[in-house]
Amino acid sequence: MSSAKWHKFNEHLKFLITEGRVSIERKGIETKRIRDFTWFIVTSNQDAPLKIDIEDFRVVCFDVFSHCRGNTKYFKQLGKVLDHPDTPEVVMIYLLNRDLSDFEPEEIPAIKIKVDIMHDQLSSSIRFIIDYITSRAEDRTSMQSCTLLYQKYLEWCGENGEKLLTSKVAGKKFSEIGIESKQVQTQYILDCPKIVAKLHESGLNDIEEFSDIP
């Protein structure tokens, strides 16, 4: 799948998850809108089959163990269990007896695999900022020339083989994590605690680079 198709698929999937209603189109009959209770499960051998943006709480990720890979005997036995006529009832009884009194569907846990996927999919400008502020942890808040910071970003991209963003686009990405520009956009305010807090709010609360930053 091309990059453009992959992004288009992800945007469409986000729409389906968020919309809450679906159109039913039948030949010769007026289209009808009804509530959509569909839940999507995506399985893949890829490390990151979906695009997970900052502050995207639609997705929960599960890292499945692979210790049974190639164990045909195990899967044959599992297949027999799943094919047994009593299996659906047993599974349903188990699920119905789960204590969900404290369950909050909107509180999606920050599982490490999701944090890793989000971290890997961050724009080059945000990954640069993460590296930059962790190397300057003693400077909790500082003013940086927009031109100078962008030049450092270009150098970082060159050293790490990262895709370059224009100064304007990089500036927009900076603003997403709480970096403000002052004095007619000639300087950036790098408030480390504010940036870290913003990334934590976005679900990136287990990034190793922040472990030593108060």
Side-chain angles (χ1 to χ4, degrees):
M1 181 183 293
S2 67
S3 177
K5 288 183 177 179
W6 186 71
H7 284 287
K8 184 177 181 180
F9 164 77
N10 276 277
E11 290 303 316
H12 183 60
L13 183 59
K14 289 178 184 178
F15 171 78
L16 293 176
I17 294 172
T18 308
E19 175 63 15
R21 302 188 74 84
V22 64
S23 297
I24 304 298
E25 300 180 7
R26 292 180 291 178
K27 189 174 181 180
I29 301 177
E30 185 177 350
T31 300
K32 186 177 182 180
R33 297 274 292 171
I34 63 173
R35 292 185 65 187
D36 185 8
F37 297 94
T38 305
W39 290 69
F40 297 91
I41 299 177
V42 178
T43 61
S44 174
N45 291 327
Q46 301 295 320
D47 292 333
L50 297 176
K51 178 75 169 67
I52 308 177
D53 298 315
I54 285 181
E55 296 185 334
D56 188 337
F57 298 102
R58 303 176 183 90
V59 179
V60 61
C61 301
F62 300 98
D63 192 4
V64 181
F65 292 114
S66 59
H67 61 273
C68 289
R69 180 184 298 168
N71 189 342
T72 55
K73 181 179 179 180
Y74 165 79
F75 285 106
K76 284 182 179 179
Q77 291 177 338
L78 179 61
K80 290 180 180 179
V81 171
L82 295 177
D83 287 338
H84 194 282
D86 292 337
T87 297
E89 180 181 357
V90 171
V91 173
M92 182 60 70
I93 291 174
Y94 167 77
L95 294 175
L96 291 175
N97 282 279
R98 296 282 292 174
D99 182 7
L100 301 179
S101 57
D102 294 328
F103 175 68
E104 292 291 343
E106 295 182 357
E107 294 182 1
I108 298 177
I111 300 173
K112 186 177 185 303
I113 185 175
K114 180 179 179 180
V115 174
D116 290 344
I117 291 173
M118 292 175 68
H119 182 275
D120 292 342
Q121 293 179 347
L122 289 174
S123 67
S124 58
S125 56
I126 294 180
R127 288 202 301 276
F128 157 71
I129 288 295
I130 291 174
D131 282 358
Y132 187 71
I133 65 174
T134 51
S135 66
R136 299 164 56 90
E138 70 282 357
D139 298 331
R140 295 176 61 81
T141 303
S142 62
M143 299 283 288
Q144 293 287 322
S145 161
C146 293
T147 302
L148 180 59
L149 188 65
Y150 183 68
Q151 183 59 42
K152 291 179 179 179
Y153 160 70
L154 295 179
E155 294 172 359
W156 179 88
C157 286
E159 293 171 357
N160 293 276
E162 293 283 351
K163 181 180 179 181
L164 298 173
L165 299 178
T166 65
S167 177
K168 184 177 181 179
V169 174
K172 287 183 178 180
K173 295 295 183 181
F174 291 161
S175 67
E176 292 177 2
I177 55 173
I179 299 178
E180 302 176 8
S181 57
K182 295 294 185 182
Q183 298 180 6
V184 198
Q185 298 185 341
T186 60
Q187 288 187 317
Y188 286 119
I189 300 177
L190 298 183
D191 186 333
C192 292
K194 182 178 179 181
I195 295 170
V196 173
K198 184 66 176 177
L199 288 166
H200 283 183
E201 290 174 6
S202 303
L204 292 165
N205 53 345
D206 286 328
I207 294 182
E208 294 180 2
E209 292 94 325
F210 295 156
S211 59
D212 296 326
I213 296 181

